[in-house]
Amino acid sequence: MNNCTQPLPQDPDAAFTTVARVTHVDVHLLERWLTGWSLARGLPPPRHHGGGLVVDVGWPDQLRRHVFVDAGCALRECAAQIHAPCVYLKAAVDPDRLRLALPAHWQIEAARYLMLHRTTMGAPGALPAGYFASIGAHYGASVIRVVDAAGQAAAIGRVVVHGTTAVFDRIETFAPHQRQGLGSALMAALDALAQQGGVSERLLVATEAGRALYLALGWRVLAPYSTAVLATR
């Protein structure tokens, strides 16, 4: 049954006080982010659908992802039409707001954060002693891989440049190599690639763990970014 006429509580994200309200996010910014996300995975670009955006992912564990600016009527109408698992709903709201917007059988995942950086992050510094980086490409992304002296993977990150936007994606420093400055060095090296494309906007979605690093590098949180999916039966 469509419950779009039932308003949500007045301030369901009151507990999310450390994150900026959704005042800088519109569907066009989400489309730029989602376009980069899709290019990095060799997927079709997002298309406008039902008041939001949709990507036809086609993976066994993720058939589609629908992305909305908020958890309003469009998202709830979309959810009401989904009855199979592996279709994801995402919105630039905190998890509590998304939880209130959806029936109980939707699972809400851990909070993430949509972040922005407008200017360069400075020249890449040298990697710590004993680490080596290589640059490659995968689908539409430039990929930097960092290995240790034994050739074991230490860190990896991707950046996609489209138009004047750079999307930073799947930045990871592996557990044995954390807290040695690899994350900062990797981000600066990826940003140097983005600068070659003449970008004026840098976007990423961060985990809770990654948010602190990006804030220290001058990024700012635009909005929480939350995910819901139907539990597999």
Side-chain angles (χ1 to χ4, degrees):
M1 181 177 179
N2 191 323
N3 64 349
C4 279
T5 58
Q6 300 175 6
L8 295 178
Q10 286 297 309
D11 194 17
D13 60 348
F16 221 87
T17 54
T18 60
V19 177
R21 303 294 186 194
V22 185
T23 55
H24 305 283
V25 177
D26 59 24
V27 71
H28 303 295
L29 186 144
L30 287 178
E31 186 174 13
R32 294 193 297 275
W33 151 252
L34 200 53
T35 296
W37 184 92
S38 298
L39 288 169
R41 292 158 176 80
L43 296 175
R47 53 189 173 84
H48 290 257
H49 175 77
L53 299 161
V54 63
V55 174
D56 297 307
V57 179
W59 299 336
D61 59 349
Q62 184 174 171
L63 300 178
R64 295 190 310 280
R65 62 171 48 194
H66 296 266
V67 181
F68 297 88
V69 171
D70 56 34
C73 189
L75 179 143
R76 285 180 277 166
E77 287 183 341
C78 180
Q81 299 173 40
I82 296 171
H83 306 289
C86 303
V87 178
Y88 283 70
L89 292 177
K90 293 177 178 280
V93 299
D94 71 82
D96 288 343
R97 183 180 288 272
L98 192 57
R99 172 74 283 160
L100 287 169
L102 294 172
H105 58 280
W106 284 88
Q107 291 184 345
I108 308 300
E109 297 186 350
R112 297 199 174 202
Y113 306 91
L114 181 60
M115 303 186 73
L116 169 75
H117 200 301
R118 288 287 187 193
T119 59
T120 62
M121 286 183 275
L127 286 169
Y131 289 98
F132 308 91
S134 63
I135 302 175
H138 189 237
Y139 296 120
S142 297
V143 184
I144 296 181
R145 293 177 172 85
V146 180
V147 299
D148 63 15
Q152 298 299 308
I156 189 169
R158 301 160 181 81
V159 65
V160 173
V161 174
H162 65 96
T164 58
T165 297
V167 170
F168 291 69
D169 185 50
R170 288 179 286 176
I171 314 298
E172 185 175 6
T173 301
F174 304 114
H177 307 280
Q178 293 174 357
R179 301 188 182 281
Q180 299 187 54
L182 292 181
S184 297
L186 177 58
M187 287 296 290
L190 290 168
D191 189 56
L193 297 178
Q195 289 178 51
Q196 295 174 16
V199 303
S200 58
E201 175 185 66
R202 297 152 176 82
L203 298 171
L204 62 78
V205 168
T207 62
E208 184 67 55
R211 179 171 63 131
L213 168 65
Y214 304 132
L215 288 172
L217 294 175
W219 291 72
R220 64 187 180 94
V221 174
L222 290 179
Y225 190 73
S226 298
T227 299
V229 64
L230 286 179
T232 55
R233 294 183 176 87

